[in-house]
Amino acid sequence: MSSKPRVLSGAQPTADSYHLGNYFGAFKQWVALQDEFEAFYFIPDLHAITVDYDPKLLPERTYIAAAQLLAAGVDPKRSALFVQSHVPEHTQLAWVLSGITGFGEAGRMTQFKDKTAKGGTDKASIGLFTYPILMAADILLYQAAKVPVGEDQRQHVELTRNLAQRFNHRFGETFVVPEAHILKATAKIYDLQNPTAKMSGSATSHAGVVNLTDDPKAAVKKIRSAVTDSGTEIRFDPAEKPGISNLLTIFSALTGRTITDIEAEFAGQQYGHLKVALGDIVGDFVADFGSRTRELLDDRGELDRILAEGADSAREVASQTLADVYRRSGFVPSQRG
Ligand code: TYM
């Protein structure tokens, strides 16, 4: 077994494609961490059923998710890539952790509050409420030291840390206490039409959301029609110029160039110039990303094989952690193995 520290993360298959926010906020870091860490990346299909969803769409969305993660650079030779529901230990550990999670503590999760702000809690499922506990189980099962995520998941990782420390304190040293790995520059990519809200797959309009497999022409149009700010100067200033700053962030993340360098290139030019240049870059990116994704999707046998191997590697680790947790919890071991 590897002596490297572990990294774990997941991204929900709740749409027909991931978007640029997922890619820059999370996937780029997943890929970068594969050498230094023993990596576990997964598709949380069990999380996806906590909101209204169509079971007929979920299988295809799960395959698309897998193909996109591979297209993003997750390398199955170095990382375990798997589907959450293939590893039953996730729900088993979640139940144990629910016994040490306070009701009030769970109620303070801002994502739950945001997601129920419109419809109220009567319309929300218990699964949506306990969702962060399942997420804690996802992380703790693998003894992950780092969890690369966007800013919106910080509070969930904080809850995970608290649960790990609480369990260790009450039942003896069991879990590695994980740390969120959040890259400041790309921790929150904003909606192009509403640059003070995060880019989100559940947005009511997708005009401000660039999906990784958007038709390139549509993606170019979305960038060119991005809402920009008053004034004319192309300058990174998230408070005064959220629209332009978001475009500069995306420009920098896609090209690897610094914001200062990009500001210098566009000094004295109009917003339109920046949008045209960025539109071309994003168009090329999604064209390439889309074709790699489609190629991977064409070979379901290979995707199934990668996901099965990933689940095997995941279960090896997960079953050991769960056995330890059960023993420490005082459960009599089953004699049937
Ligand atoms: P999810 O599926 O909403 O998003 C997947 C990842 O993308 C990041 N992200 C963003 N980053 C920057 N800007 C944005 N606009 C943006 N939108 C999304 C998210 O922060 C996330 O890292 N609960 C998780 C899934 C999950 C998980 C886990 C993550 C389940 N179990 C265990 C880590 C570890 C979620 O809903 O992410």
Side-chain angles (χ1 to χ4, degrees):
M1 191 166 285
S2 166
S3 58
K4 291 177 187 175
R6 300 214 178 102
V7 66
L8 170 131
S9 202
Q12 292 196 69
T14 37
D16 290 332
S17 172
Y18 291 129
H19 54 73
L20 277 188
N22 300 132
Y23 182 76
F24 292 124
F27 307 160
K28 268 189 91 169
Q29 282 65 257
W30 297 17
V31 170
L33 293 168
Q34 290 179 112
D35 277 332
E36 211 189 313
F37 290 81
E38 187 184 357
F40 294 86
Y41 298 129
F42 73 103
I43 301 158
D45 53 351
L46 298 167
H47 277 107
I49 67 166
T50 58
V51 290
D52 248 351
Y53 81 106
D54 183 346
K56 287 198 206 73
L57 295 181
L58 189 56
E60 188 58 17
R61 287 180 165 181
T62 302
Y63 279 117
I64 293 173
Q68 291 196 341
L69 292 174
L70 293 167
V74 170
D75 174 5
K77 291 203 185 70
R78 287 180 291 163
S79 303
L81 177 66
F82 63 98
V83 177
Q84 189 185 30
S85 62
H86 293 178
V87 184
E89 286 83 358
H90 287 245
T91 41
Q92 292 175 291
L93 179 59
W95 182 255
V96 175
L97 294 178
S98 72
I100 61 160
T101 310
F103 192 84
E105 186 176 35
R108 283 193 288 278
M109 296 294 111
T110 54
Q111 191 160 56
F112 178 76
K113 287 192 205 163
D114 291 349
K115 286 198 172 168
T116 53
K118 250 200 226 136
T121 47
D122 279 352
K123 292 217 174 87
S125 69
I126 292 287
L128 189 65
F129 186 70
T130 56
Y131 165 123
I133 306 175
L134 179 58
M135 178 162 163
D138 299 336
I139 298 168
L140 299 181
L141 264 184
Y142 300 92
Q143 309 288 3
K146 271 205 191 325
V147 185
V149 285
E151 181 60 41
D152 60 347
Q153 298 301 318
R154 185 189 290 279
Q155 197 191 23
H156 292 157
V157 179
E158 203 49 48
L159 173 74
T160 306
R161 289 171 58 83
N162 291 338
L163 294 180
Q165 280 159 346
R166 194 171 304 156
F167 192 95
N168 288 349
H169 184 69
R170 288 198 197 156
F171 301 94
E173 221 35 57
T174 309
F175 295 122
V176 168
V177 179
E179 259 175 37
H181 176 81
I182 300 175
L183 271 203
K184 195 161 173 267
T186 50
K188 193 166 179 185
I189 302 292
Y190 295 88
D191 187 292
L192 299 170
Q193 288 299 315
N194 181 10
T196 51
K198 74 167 179 185
M199 187 176 280
S200 162
S202 56
T204 35
S205 153
H206 268 228
V209 180
V210 176
N211 291 312
L212 297 178
T213 46
D214 265 348
D215 168 60
K217 280 205 197 95
V220 170
K221 192 162 163 229
K222 286 178 186 177
I223 297 286
R224 290 191 182 182
S225 350
V227 164
T228 37
D229 321 287
S230 57
T232 53
E233 199 191 347
I234 297 176
R235 176 167 51 86
F236 187 77
D237 181 347
E240 295 294 320
K241 293 173 172 277
I244 283 298
S245 301
N246 190 37
L247 295 180
L248 286 169
T249 298
I250 296 172
F251 202 125
S252 166
L254 267 178
T255 57
R257 290 171 57 190
T258 63
I259 301 257
T260 320
D261 185 31
I262 302 161
E263 281 173 339
E265 179 186 337
F266 289 95
Q269 298 196 48
Q270 319 258 307
Y271 289 165
H273 292 115
L274 176 71
K275 291 198 217 173
V276 168
L278 180 59
D280 289 346
I281 294 168
V282 169
D284 288 348
F285 174 77
V286 297
D288 179 52
F289 198 96
S291 71
R292 271 182 292 138
T293 302
R294 280 186 294 277
E295 236 169 70
L296 288 154
L297 275 172
D298 275 346
D299 192 347
R300 297 301 162 110
E302 177 64 2
L303 284 180
D304 280 332
R305 192 192 62 73
I306 290 170
L307 294 173
E309 257 183 23
D312 285 346
S313 313
R315 283 204 84 177
E316 231 173 81
V317 177
S319 60
Q320 283 182 26
T321 305
L322 189 75
D324 192 23
V325 167
Y326 270 24
R327 187 176 56 76
R328 290 177 185 278
S329 300
F331 301 154
V332 172
S334 159
Q335 298 309 313
R336 298 268 178 244

